[in-house]
Amino acid sequence: MMSRFLASVVVVFYCSAAYAEEFPKEGSAAYTTSYVNISATPMKMGDRTVSVYESAGITRNDAGDAPFNDMGTRCLGMREITGSDVVNRGSCIDTDKDGDQVFSTFEANSKSGKHVFVGGTGKYQGITGSADYTFQAMKVPEGARPMVLVPHKATWKIQGKS
């Protein structure tokens, strides 16, 4: 009975140690976020249309590796359309399984954009860098919320980590 208990403790300790693996102090990763638009409030201003929106989704590392894998994502943004010019700006929070977060801002045109990492909590504290991205609107059933698939290519560095 005692040996079973000790074996269980060893397994739990080993899994916990692997789960709490250190985030690399610098690196690069390819990941994809699937966003669902939760809300959008458009406002017509002459020849411009401005929308404030909220999106949420799931981020997965394309190779299944740890950096930027299985993270919940929430973004608040503003889209401004003038003729054929489109500009999106906003901020996002990505939260991992440990509850640690990455904070970023973003700016995009109608084809591509860039997230800039501006900080984080826990293992991401001191993160800097960026993630270039493109996006593809997904076909959804009538009445469904808009969805977007967004592949990212990120590079980062954690300041203050040795």
Side-chain angles (χ1 to χ4, degrees):
M1 183 71 146
M2 183 61 133
S3 63
R4 256 190 219 161
F5 173 75
L6 289 174
S8 296
V9 168
V10 168
V11 168
V12 168
F13 176 76
Y14 176 75
C15 291
S16 296
Y19 183 69
E21 187 176 316
E22 195 66 25
F23 187 76
K25 71 175 187 171
E26 59 184 282
S28 62
Y31 60 91
T32 300
T33 305
S34 302
Y35 289 103
V36 174
N37 250 5
I38 296 171
S39 66
T41 308
M43 181 171 63
K44 192 81 170 138
M45 300 169 53
D47 66 342
R48 297 182 327 160
T49 301
V50 177
S51 297
V52 175
Y53 60 92
E54 179 177 1
S55 297
I58 298 171
T59 296
R60 297 239 162 95
N61 182 296
D62 294 348
D65 296 333
F68 303 100
N69 195 38
D70 292 338
M71 298 179 88
T73 301
R74 180 178 182 220
C75 300
L76 298 174
M78 186 181 91
R79 175 179 299 115
E80 184 174 349
I81 303 171
T82 307
S84 62
D85 292 334
V86 178
V87 176
N88 284 288
R89 290 184 183 95
S91 298
C92 297
I93 298 174
D94 295 280
T95 306
D96 71 12
K97 294 175 184 178
D98 296 328
D100 294 339
Q101 298 180 320
V102 175
F103 309 132
S104 65
T105 60
F106 66 89
E107 185 166 327
N109 59 31
S110 61
K111 296 179 181 161
S112 63
K114 177 181 268 190
H115 281 273
V116 175
F117 303 127
V118 296
T121 65
K123 67 181 82 61
Y124 309 109
Q125 188 169 1
I127 193 169
T128 60
S130 62
D132 293 326
Y133 63 89
T134 58
F135 43 88
Q136 172 188 356
M138 304 303 296
K139 297 279 185 195
V140 296
E142 186 176 331
R145 295 173 193 240
M147 301 171 132
V148 181
L149 198 60
V150 183
H152 298 78
K153 301 281 188 219
T155 58
W156 71 88
K157 184 173 185 176
I158 305 283
Q159 303 296 327
K161 256 189 164 182
S162 53

